[in-house]
Amino acid sequence: MDCRVVVEAAVPVYDVSTPDEAVRIAISKTGEMLNPDLNYVEISMGSRTSPGGEELEPVFIVADEALVALELEMTVFNVEREEHASRIARKEIGQRLRNIPLDVLEVEVIETDEEDDTDSADGEDDSTDERGDGGEEILPEFDDLLE
């Protein structure tokens, strides 16, 4: 099973005066930390809401320092469960983003072509293996090989 995992990161940014500047610097800083090892992680601006449900900006600025909410999205392949995918994503991203808090927001199972699995379910007889002889291996006699 393959999963798409979205992780929220709280990225600190220093010496900024506007929210736009803080977001640009946070995305750039995060990209530098992830590349080249995790260049397949998509970085986007996060979203925040107040406890009352009001939409808030993803940037909080105080005294020229900002905390920026970013969403990091990656695909994890060949996992057993959604929890397994979230652990892998947190570990892979967390190893490169030291001292940055992470939280898994969403894990979505990616539908794949299951043609291989459905072939055997179509009622075909699976009693023969790849050799096509029912599982018995046919070997030439040793005497024939020595001639």
Side-chain angles (χ1 to χ4, degrees), residues 8-74:
E8 181 180 46
V11 181
V13 179
Y14 307 102
D15 297 325
V16 294
S17 55
T18 66
D20 290 337
E21 180 184 21
V23 169
R24 282 188 295 107
I25 292 172
I27 290 174
S28 175
K29 177 181 175 180
T30 304
E32 287 176 9
M33 288 190 273
L34 292 176
N35 282 325
D37 297 332
L38 294 180
N39 60 359
Y40 49 86
V41 175
E42 295 179 29
I43 304 169
S44 62
M45 190 170 52
S47 61
R48 299 182 323 143
T49 56
S50 70
E54 181 184 345
E55 188 73 23
L56 301 173
E57 284 193 49
V59 180
F60 181 70
I61 300 176
V62 175
D64 291 337
E65 293 187 9
L67 189 61
V68 181
L70 294 180
E71 291 182 0
L72 311 172
E73 181 181 322
M74 71 180 288

Side-chain angles (χ1 to χ4, degrees), residues 7-142:
V7 178
E8 181 180 46
V11 181
V13 179
Y14 307 102
D15 297 325
V16 294
S17 55
T18 66
D20 290 337
E21 180 184 21
V23 169
R24 282 188 295 107
I25 292 172
I27 290 174
S28 175
K29 177 181 175 180
T30 304
E32 287 176 9
M33 288 190 273
L34 292 176
N35 282 325
D37 297 332
L38 294 180
N39 60 359
Y40 49 86
V41 175
E42 295 179 29
I43 304 169
S44 62
M45 190 170 52
S47 61
R48 299 182 323 143
T49 56
S50 70
E54 181 184 345
E55 188 73 23
L56 301 173
E57 284 193 49
V59 180
F60 181 70
I61 300 176
V62 175
D64 291 337
E65 293 187 9
L67 189 61
V68 181
L70 294 180
E71 291 182 0
L72 311 172
E73 181 181 322
M74 71 180 288
T75 302
V76 181
F77 300 97
N78 298 326
V79 293
E80 298 171 5
R81 299 183 317 268
E82 292 179 19
E83 180 183 337
H84 187 214
S86 67
R87 285 185 194 169
I88 291 172
R90 281 194 64 172
K91 180 181 182 223
E92 291 295 317
I93 293 171
Q95 285 179 341
R96 281 129 186 117
L97 301 182
R98 299 251 183 236
N99 299 323
I100 294 181
L102 299 175
D103 187 33
V104 176
L105 295 178
E106 178 184 354
V107 179
E108 177 184 330
V109 176
I110 299 172
E111 298 298 323
T112 58
D113 294 335
E114 297 179 354
E115 295 174 4
D116 297 337
D117 295 338
T118 58
D119 285 348
S120 61
D122 289 339
E124 293 180 25
D125 184 14
D126 288 341
S127 61
T128 61
D129 60 2
E130 292 177 3
R131 293 183 298 261
D133 58 6
E136 297 177 22
E137 190 170 348
I138 301 172
L139 295 175
E141 294 292 326
F142 275 115

